Amino acid sequence: MAEELIPADSDEAAAAAGAEEEQPIKQRKNGLYPGVSDELAENMTSGWADTELRDLEPIAQAAHTADRRAALSARFPGERLVIPSGNLKTRSNDTEYAFRASTEYAYLTGDQSEDGVLVLEPQGGGHRATIYLLPRSDRENGEFWLSGQGELWVGRRHSLAEAEQLLGIPAEDVRELPEKLREATGPVRVVRGHDAAIEAALTDKVTAERDEELRVTLSEARAVKDAFEIGELQKACDSTTRGFEDVVKVLDKAEATSERYIEGTFFLRARVEGNDVGYGSICAAGPHATTLHWVRNDGPVRSGDLLLLDAGVETHTLYTADVTRTLPINGRYSELQRTIYDAVYDAQEAGIAAVKPGAKYRDFHDAAQRVLTERLVEWGLVEGPVERVLELGLQRRWTLHGTGHMLGMDVHDCAAARTEAYVDGTLEPGMCLTVEPGLYFQADDLTVPEEYRGIGVRIEDDILVTEDGNRNLSAALPRRADEVEAWMAALKQG
């Protein structure tokens, strides 16, 4: 990895290459060049082709993002609304994590630029939207080749004119926004937690309570997906299916190495067909399958054990799948593994059947938990009757988690929604949720027979509520035990 001459956080150092007021070059400690000669600085300002992109087509979701902004405008008449995308975060020293725009910003704009800010300013009976972005690197002052975030270091970004064509929103220079916000009058709300500089400019104009109301409103707005979003979720599930197939084909290599081989295999599919994984992949073999969010993925993969793979591809527009399958590493479930797997499968079937418009959100969870509780009582692992166990929640020793959650641009989407609008709410067409019951028998659980210990099973699919019931977006991946075995056998032979 090359070292830039001027640190990424040195906004003014590049002025030494030709701006009106010369500034000393803030060279990186232990850099190999002592400075920039006047001749080199002058040379770098000229001889570059015009690369402006013209006659661009709007991005696919532009019409949908316009509708979303209009709905938000109607919800907060007369108020200035500020929605930042966020900033780069340091991973270590002078390296950053890969940037991921805030969900609220990407939902309303379709843009994924760091440091961007959407502002809805009251105008007439509605709002005027402006997107504030960093313009292209300045070739006159040398920023494009001297700054760590310049074009020659991290790649070209769109000009403001290009952004306007792509997004359908007037674009202005974000570096001028803090001063504009400091001078703003009237009520203002901001989505907090993404851009400290923007929040500082509004510190005397906003309140935590009013800002939280904006965040909650945007969270609830995402509950019902439009046609574009449903299409993206289907893409995510289709790519995820191919990622699971990739993993099955290389299980022998994972046995020779570790769970990391599984993680890397799925990640390759996510990066080739999408933006990234939507969350840290859970590649849990053997007793690791009983740890709900096992993302260390550094354990052994052994024939005869189960592999719990919980993973999802995130599309280029930031919609993620969230799918789990529990697979026999050698291709065949043992008798006990199949018994436990079938119980989880039956619970998931009951949960999916409960997903329909007009149903209570909690219904699918209750249906799945009842099936699992019946099996636990039947196996003698907990004393019945079933109603008593459910009332006291005793089954949770082995079922542990809720049976699902909303899904969309966040793997746990709509998380800031009001309880009455989410878990105490009613399902509507266009909502998408996971149905993912599980049974987990910890390796040190002395309340169950020894042969159960270390077995964990979860089955998870992404379910869209439709006008007449539901559609399983991840149905291309087999779920029934015999179908899983046949599918694995066919992939290994292929």
Side-chain angles (χ1 to χ4, degrees):
M1 184 177 183
E3 291 188 328
E4 74 269 22
L5 181 62
I6 296 176
D9 61 355
S10 178
D11 294 333
E12 299 180 274
E20 289 183 7
E21 293 185 14
E22 238 176 68
Q23 301 289 331
I25 293 175
K26 298 180 181 178
Q27 184 181 359
R28 180 195 301 275
K29 185 177 181 180
N30 296 317
L32 293 175
Y33 287 106
V36 176
S37 69
D38 292 342
E39 290 79 5
L40 176 58
E42 177 62 27
N43 177 274
M44 292 296 286
T45 64
S46 61
W48 304 101
D50 178 11
T51 60
E52 182 74 7
L53 303 176
R54 298 173 176 84
D55 301 320
L56 295 173
E57 293 295 323
I59 59 175
Q61 66 267 46
H64 296 285
T65 56
D67 289 341
R68 297 167 196 167
R69 293 192 298 274
L72 185 63
S73 170
R75 176 66 179 78
F76 296 103
E79 301 187 53
R80 182 178 280 101
L81 308 176
V82 182
I83 302 96
S85 71
N87 316 125
L88 290 171
K89 290 181 172 60
T90 299
R91 180 181 184 273
S92 177
N93 188 25
D94 57 354
T95 61
E96 292 87 21
Y97 288 104
F99 180 73
R100 203 278 195 183
S102 75
T103 292
E104 296 88 351
Y105 174 86
Y107 176 75
L108 292 168
T109 67
D111 181 55
Q112 297 181 38
S113 304
E114 64 262 27
D115 302 322
V117 184
L118 174 69
V119 177
L120 299 184
E121 189 169 350
Q123 184 179 71
H127 287 79
R128 176 171 57 86
T130 304
I131 192 165
Y132 289 86
L133 302 165
L134 282 172
R136 286 194 63 192
S137 297
D138 192 330
R139 300 212 172 196
E140 290 300 314
N141 70 7
E143 180 260 343
F144 80 107
W145 72 287
L146 291 174
S147 169
Q149 293 303 315
E151 188 170 296
L152 296 193
W153 289 97
V154 298
R156 185 187 190 278
R157 55 182 175 253
H158 285 297
S159 70
L160 298 183
E162 291 169 354
E164 288 187 359
Q165 294 177 70
L166 290 167
L167 306 175
I169 312 171
E172 296 185 19
D173 190 334
V174 72
R175 293 171 295 189
E176 301 170 1
L177 181 58
E179 185 58 32
K180 290 183 178 181
L181 293 178
R182 279 190 284 270
E183 296 174 355
T185 59
V188 185
R189 298 177 191 254
V190 63
V191 176
R192 298 192 182 199
H194 300 300
D195 194 318
I198 294 300
E199 291 179 36
L202 293 169
T203 186
D204 60 342
K205 305 177 192 301
V206 295
T207 66
E209 182 180 5
R210 287 163 50 77
D211 292 347
E212 178 64 10
E213 187 178 4
L214 173 59
R215 189 171 78 102
V216 168
T217 297
L218 285 168
S219 194
E220 293 179 6
R222 299 198 307 275
V224 175
K225 272 59 180 177
D226 58 36
F228 176 84
E229 294 179 289
I230 292 169
E232 290 300 294
L233 286 167
Q234 186 63 69
K235 285 182 190 176
C237 288
D238 292 345
S239 289
T240 298
T241 293
R242 291 186 282 274
F244 274 68
E245 291 171 348
D246 295 339
V247 167
V248 171
K249 292 176 182 177
V250 300
L251 280 177
D252 58 334
K253 293 183 173 64
E255 286 188 61
T257 52
S258 76
E259 296 162 339
R260 293 261 169 110
Y261 204 97
I262 295 167
E263 179 183 3
T265 299
F266 187 85
F267 180 69
L268 177 61
R269 178 66 65 173
R271 286 293 282 167
V272 167
E273 295 192 1
N275 176 60
D276 205 333
V277 289
Y279 53 96
S281 299
I282 299 167
C283 308
H288 289 162
T290 67
T291 300
L292 298 184
H293 286 173
W294 176 262
V295 293
R296 298 180 201 171
N297 299 335
D298 59 0
V301 178
R302 300 188 178 98
S303 179
D305 283 346
L306 296 176
L307 166 67
L308 190 157
L309 178 58
D310 184 337
V313 172
E314 178 186 74
T315 66
H316 293 292
T317 57
L318 308 185
Y319 289 84
T320 186
D322 181 7
V323 179
T324 306
R325 290 294 183 268
T326 305
L327 311 173
I329 292 168
N330 64 10
R332 302 285 294 181
Y333 296 100
S334 71
E335 183 177 353
L336 179 59
Q337 288 170 351
R338 182 183 285 263
T339 296
I340 296 170
Y341 185 94
D342 286 347
V344 176
Y345 172 81
D346 290 344
Q348 194 200 29
E349 283 283 275
I352 292 173
V355 176
K356 54 191 173 183
K360 293 180 180 179
Y361 177 85
R362 292 180 180 272
D363 287 352
F364 77 96
H365 169 71
D366 293 341
Q369 288 290 299
R370 176 170 291 277
V371 172
L372 294 177
T373 302
E374 289 170 350
R375 299 302 170 85
L376 291 167
V377 171
E378 178 185 325
W379 298 337
L381 301 184
V382 63
E383 183 180 350
V386 169
E387 294 298 338
R388 167 187 169 273
V389 177
L390 287 169
E391 181 180 353
L392 298 176
L394 301 180
Q395 83 284 359
R396 292 179 60 187
R397 181 182 179 103
W398 304 284
T399 66
L400 293 177
H401 55 80
T403 309
H405 51 79
M406 292 288 192
L407 183 70
M409 296 185 80
D410 287 328
V411 65
H412 298 140
D413 209 26
C414 311
R418 295 166 298 159
T419 300
E420 58 266 31
Y422 193 154
V423 296
D424 290 338
T426 301
L427 295 180
E428 301 176 39
M431 290 182 170
C432 187
L433 58 143
T434 67
V435 178
E436 51 175 313
L439 283 174
Y440 311 92
F441 300 103
Q442 305 302 319
D444 59 351
D445 187 350
L446 301 181
T447 70
V448 300
E450 185 175 359
E451 60 267 26
Y452 282 75
R453 298 172 198 165
I455 296 178
V457 174
R458 178 163 68 251
I459 312 172
E460 176 182 21
D461 285 271
D462 301 343
I463 310 299
L464 174 70
V465 183
T466 62
E467 294 289 345
D468 57 356
N470 68 65
R471 184 168 93 236
N472 186 346
L473 300 180
S474 48
L477 274 175
R479 293 185 295 126
R480 215 173 59 207
D482 58 340
E483 293 175 342
V484 169
E485 291 176 342
W487 168 73
M488 293 182 69
L491 287 171
K492 289 181 178 181
Q493 291 171 2

